[in-house]
Amino acid sequence: MVNKTLHYWDPAFEDGVININVGGLRRRLSSSALSKFPDTRLGRLLSCDSEESILQLCDDYDVTAKEFYFDRNPGFFLYVLHFYQTGKLHVMEELCVFSFCQEIEYWGINEFFLDSCCSYRYHERKLESRHHNWDEESEVSSVDTSPDEISDFNHDLLHYTTLRCGNLRKRLWLTMENPGYSIPSKLFSFVSISVVLVSIATMCIHSMEEYQLVDEDGNTMDDPVLEYLEYFCISWFTFEVTARLLLAPDLKKFFKHPLNLIDIVSVLPFYFTFLVDMTMGKEPELGNLGKVVQVFRLMRIFRVLKLARHSTGLRSLGATLKHSYREVGILLLYLAVGVSVFSGVAYTAEKEEDVGFDTIPACWWWGTVSMTTVGYGDVVPVTIAGKLAASGCILGGILVVALPITIIFNKFSHFYRRQKALEAAVRNSDKKDPEDSDNYPSQESEILSEAFQRDDISDHGDLTRRILPIH
């Protein structure tokens, strides 16, 4: 190709013919055929009035031969030629839907021109591709299990290179954050889990009457042993939060991480109640404030969520629930519809029997228990119509609950494998320099290097056709 500066441009082509070269494939098209589709890329060439406007549509232009060059897939251009001849576009089976959409978008051809024989298949494959892409985006967007987290982890390690005692702080942070990093980290994780379990056991034992003491005024007092255990546990939790806060490479990420928020929430109720007790005392005259204090005391149960930091399964479960909101939403919708329908039927059949089906809202409890196959048995129908409605409610509940289980289980398996891969990367973090993390070749570059070393690839066109469907 010769790229020369044009002093003038005559949009009237001789003999009404345009020479097109697409990746080495040369064809001659009549301007009358192109003028039928003026909005396409080739159709717009007819209205160009300067070299600049031409080069905006093609990759190069030969002045002498008046040949337009396009660096695109020559195999697909045959389908473009057929489109200009017949006005109908057909799907190229060798290209994936994503690449096919890119090609027709480049040539300015609307998918509206797809022939009836290919239209249904194309839109079906496009819909499947969108669902697949949504699943991939849903999976990789997890805070704990995204494929980019290994890269983010390596970038976080780079922050320690600019800090004082950075290597020591990095090792301490890895020891506290990753139970499988080293033997000290496993010991630290064991101690942390033990303290969490002791804290939960202390809270449960404190609710038993035989372990509750009463002072001279009749007010309930904490058992001294349980109180000392609570102080020890809260001291450990405070030490954990403070140490992680001081050792964290990025404070913004620290406060955005769900597990860190759980750690903070697990210690805040103690200090709030302690502050109230120190300033206002433990008198029952606190009124509504006393109820708030009781609520904060109950929030100590959230300490059980601290176990997720030391359990791959719990973290994977949390990521699965987070990214299965569509399936969970559909499940709740089906349950709501089923409960509403069968509650109305049961109310109609049992309202005169005085067995607990007095109102439709009262029947909602029975419908929820029945559709989830729990079956407390506190409210049961006695009429034949009520029993038939109960049978339909139970069978419908089994089907509704079973539908999304497979999808959720598959996502859980996927997140569990991702989490295991991340833990393996953390264990090997000291075996490589994090600065080299950006220098690892990508999958596409590895494919290219392997392809050029093989002897069975004859030219770049063949290589392009092999790599093009990969996206």
Side-chain angles (χ1 to χ4, degrees):
M1 287 297 167
V2 180
N3 189 2
K4 298 181 180 179
T5 303
L6 293 181
H7 300 287
Y8 66 93
W9 167 252
D10 185 7
F13 293 92
E14 297 180 358
D15 301 329
V17 175
I18 300 179
N19 299 317
I20 304 295
N21 186 333
V22 179
L25 178 65
R26 289 182 169 87
R27 289 293 186 271
R28 303 184 68 184
L29 297 177
S30 64
S31 58
S32 60
L34 300 181
S35 62
K36 296 179 182 179
F37 306 96
D39 295 331
T40 61
R41 181 174 290 266
L42 296 182
R44 283 184 289 165
L45 285 175
L46 301 178
S47 59
C48 292
D49 55 1
S50 64
E51 180 189 17
E52 289 75 12
S53 59
I54 294 176
L55 294 179
Q56 289 179 356
L57 297 176
C58 63
D59 296 302
D60 207 346
Y61 172 72
D62 193 337
V63 178
T64 58
K66 285 192 176 182
E67 184 179 63
F68 301 94
Y69 177 76
F70 297 87
D71 188 12
R72 303 298 295 186
N73 187 351
F76 182 80
F77 184 63
L78 296 177
Y79 291 81
V80 177
L81 292 176
H82 185 268
F83 164 74
Y84 282 111
Q85 294 171 358
T86 63
K88 297 294 183 180
L89 181 65
H90 292 271
V91 175
M92 184 178 180
E93 295 294 340
E94 290 78 4
L95 291 181
C96 66
V97 175
F98 178 77
S99 300
F100 183 82
C101 291
Q102 284 186 328
E103 289 293 332
I104 62 175
E105 182 180 358
Y106 174 82
W107 293 108
I109 303 175
N110 196 297
E111 60 185 25
F112 172 79
F113 293 103
L114 280 169
D115 202 354
S116 58
C117 61
C118 298
S119 178
Y120 176 78
R121 184 170 70 256
Y122 166 76
H123 289 289
E124 184 179 18
R125 292 169 58 184
K126 190 175 181 180
L127 185 61
E128 292 177 357
S129 177
R130 287 179 178 176
H131 289 168
H132 175 74
N133 291 337
W134 174 85
D135 289 335
E136 290 295 328
E137 292 174 0
S138 174
E139 291 167 356
V140 304
S141 62
S142 171
V143 174
D144 297 303
T145 54
S146 67
D148 293 334
E149 188 174 358
I150 296 178
S151 176
D152 294 339
F153 170 77
N154 292 328
H155 284 296
D156 288 339
L157 295 183
L158 291 177
H159 289 283
Y160 290 104
T161 59
T162 60
L163 300 177
R164 186 177 181 181
C165 302
N167 189 39
L168 176 61
R169 294 181 62 178
K170 182 187 73 172
R171 291 182 179 275
L172 291 176
W173 179 68
L174 291 174
T175 300
M176 298 187 67
E177 287 291 326
N178 303 280
Y181 173 68
S182 61
I183 295 179
S185 66
K186 293 180 180 179
L187 294 177
F188 181 84
S189 176
F190 174 77
V191 174
S192 182
I193 292 175
S194 301
V195 174
V196 172
L197 295 179
V198 170
S199 175
I200 296 173
T202 301
M203 184 182 61
C204 295
I205 294 175
H206 182 268
S207 64
M208 302 171 63
E209 293 184 359
E210 53 267 30
Y211 291 96
Q212 295 178 356
L213 304 179
V214 181
D215 59 10
E216 299 176 353
D217 298 330
N219 297 324
T220 303
M221 297 177 55
D222 296 335
D223 186 274
V225 177
L226 298 180
E227 190 173 6
Y228 292 147
L229 285 176
E230 176 69 12
Y231 289 156
F232 169 76
C233 293
I234 203 66
S235 300
W236 175 264
F237 296 151
T238 305
F239 162 74
E240 276 191 315
V241 175
T242 305
R244 287 193 171 95
L245 179 62
L246 295 177
L247 297 174
D250 191 337
L251 293 181
K252 291 183 179 180
K253 289 185 178 180
F254 176 85
F255 288 105
K256 290 181 180 180
H257 201 289
L259 295 180
N260 295 328
L261 296 179
I262 290 174
D263 289 344
I264 296 174
V265 170
S266 65
V267 298
L268 283 181
F270 173 83
Y271 289 107
F272 178 80
T273 55
F274 180 78
L275 181 62
V276 172
D277 293 340
M278 293 295 295
T279 56
M280 301 183 180
K282 300 182 180 181
E283 299 296 331
E285 288 81 7
L286 291 176
N288 293 331
L289 183 58
K291 297 180 180 180
V292 174
V293 172
Q294 292 297 324
V295 172
F296 271 86
R297 288 182 181 273
L298 292 176
M299 287 180 63
R300 292 181 297 176
I301 195 63
F302 288 111
R303 294 175 186 175
V304 72
L305 299 179
K306 289 173 64 67
L307 296 175
R309 185 181 292 278
H310 311 283
S311 172
T312 304
L314 287 177
R315 290 196 300 272
S316 302
L317 177 61
T320 302
L321 294 178
K322 177 182 178 182
H323 297 283
S324 299
Y325 64 92
R326 291 192 178 186
E327 290 79 6
V328 175
I330 293 175
L331 173 61
L332 295 178
L333 176 62
Y334 289 165
L335 287 175
V337 173
V339 168
S340 300
V341 172
F342 290 109
S343 296
V345 175
Y347 168 75
T348 303
E350 303 287 335
K351 63 180 179 179
E352 298 178 357
E353 300 298 330
D354 194 19
V355 289
F357 296 87
D358 302 326
T359 61
I360 292 181
C363 296
W364 287 347
W365 166 254
W366 166 84
T368 303
V369 171
S370 300
M371 288 207 71
T372 55
T373 67
V374 176
Y376 287 121
D378 53 344
V379 180
V380 293
V382 295
T383 63
I384 296 178
K387 292 180 179 179
L388 291 177
S391 300
C393 183
I394 295 171
L395 294 177
I398 293 175
L399 295 176
V400 167
V401 173
L403 285 176
I405 295 300
T406 303
I407 301 176
I408 296 176
F409 175 76
N410 290 337
K411 288 192 175 184
F412 174 82
S413 301
H414 176 82
F415 283 120
Y416 187 81
R417 291 193 299 268
R418 291 277 179 87
Q419 190 63 33
K420 282 294 185 181
L422 177 61
E423 292 178 357
V426 172
R427 288 193 296 269
N428 299 328
S429 59
D430 285 344
K431 298 180 181 180
K432 64 183 180 180
D433 188 357
E435 294 180 358
D436 297 334
S437 60
D438 295 333
N439 298 327
Y440 296 135
S442 62
Q443 180 181 5
E444 290 79 7
S445 61
E446 292 177 355
I447 295 174
L448 286 171
S449 60
E450 293 177 1
F452 277 114
Q453 293 174 1
R454 293 175 54 184
D455 298 332
D456 56 344
I457 296 180
S458 58
D459 55 13
H460 297 285
D462 189 17
L463 177 62
T464 302
R465 287 190 293 273
R466 296 189 181 193
I467 297 179
L468 186 59
I470 300 176
H471 59 87

